[in-house]
Amino acid sequence: MRDRFVLWRYPDELETDIIVRTGATLRLRPIRSDDGEQLVAFHRRLSSDSIYRRYFSVHPELSHDEVGHLTQVDYVDRLALVIEDGDDLVAVGRYERYPLTTKAEVAFVVRDDYQHLGLGRHLLDYLAEAAWARGITTFTAEILVRNRDMISVFGHSGFPVTSTISNGEISVHFSIEPTSESMASRDEHRAGRI
């Protein structure tokens, strides 16, 4: 399945408009290598709490190397999606495949003033669809126990999530195979019903 995708080819088929809980329409698209300045501006607008929940450390600035790593993805084994409101990035989600496996780690962060609009769910839904098409079958994630928003996103995804807790962190693991439950949850969310 993975073979039908070309490494480093921008997948414009993943571009779409999404409707959020307020009724506003935002743009979801794959990240591009020229998004560095937007990504730095996005990171600067995150609260210290949002940064800590994403990186598990104080991380006020992205280094030049980090910006390069985060914006230059191959669109198959490493994919990042962004959500834009006009020219501003307001959310970023990504997966990164574990080498030579069908598993990938998934992570995302939503700008504070755009939280609780369903953007995390949109990112998870679209990342799961793209990953599944590229031969990834399982997502994993590490979450701080106090990150209730992220726990809720995974819990309401319709995917069969299992988790373990250790040292203040929750490790989640779940199949992203489309099921009637996950597809119904996705469709309700995209229609704005949940």
Side-chain angles (χ1 to χ4, degrees):
M1 203 181 295
R2 177 183 182 276
D3 297 338
R4 66 187 175 127
F5 296 97
V6 178
L7 288 170
W8 304 101
R9 185 193 63 79
Y10 181 82
D12 55 10
E13 69 275 6
L14 296 179
E15 293 182 355
T16 190
D17 289 332
I18 58 170
I19 299 172
V20 298
R21 291 184 179 142
T22 62
T25 301
L26 304 178
R27 187 73 174 160
L28 182 142
R29 65 167 174 81
I31 203 163
R32 297 183 304 251
S33 60
D34 63 356
D35 283 327
E37 286 184 30
Q38 284 183 281
L39 186 64
V40 169
F42 165 77
H43 188 83
R44 285 187 181 137
R45 294 195 65 184
L46 295 174
S47 69
S48 57
D49 186 54
S50 288
I51 291 170
Y52 193 85
R53 285 186 288 158
R54 169 61 180 91
Y55 294 98
F56 295 26
S57 67
V58 177
H59 198 80
E61 297 288 327
L62 294 174
S63 72
H64 177 74
D65 288 344
E66 286 174 314
V67 172
H69 177 76
L70 295 172
T71 58
Q72 296 179 29
V73 297
D74 67 16
Y75 301 113
V76 177
D77 295 328
R78 292 182 59 240
L79 174 68
L81 299 176
V82 299
I83 297 176
E84 294 176 305
D85 188 355
D87 292 329
D88 291 336
L89 296 186
V90 297
V92 180
R94 63 184 58 253
Y95 73 72
E96 188 159 339
R97 184 191 303 257
Y98 295 105
L100 306 174
T101 72
T102 60
K103 292 183 182 181
E105 183 174 16
V106 66
F108 34 94
V109 62
V110 177
R111 206 170 82 185
D112 295 72
D113 53 335
Y114 282 79
Q115 291 178 8
H116 307 287
L117 298 177
L119 301 188
R121 269 298 303 281
H122 281 295
L123 287 169
L124 178 60
D125 290 345
Y126 283 97
L127 284 168
E129 279 184 29
W132 181 259
R134 288 157 175 78
I136 293 170
T137 62
T138 306
F139 273 170
T140 67
E142 299 296 320
I143 311 165
L144 291 172
V145 169
R146 66 184 179 112
N147 192 347
R148 297 185 203 287
D149 294 335
M150 186 69 77
I151 295 166
S152 178
V153 167
F154 291 125
H156 291 95
S157 67
F159 293 116
V161 178
T162 59
S163 62
T164 58
I165 300 175
S166 176
N167 299 319
E169 295 179 15
I170 301 174
S171 297
V172 298
H173 179 274
F174 55 99
S175 168
I176 59 170
E177 179 176 3
T179 64
S180 56
E181 185 176 343
S182 68
M183 291 173 66
S185 178
R186 179 203 65 201
D187 292 344
E188 283 188 38
H189 183 257
R190 289 183 185 174
R193 294 191 294 271
I194 58 171

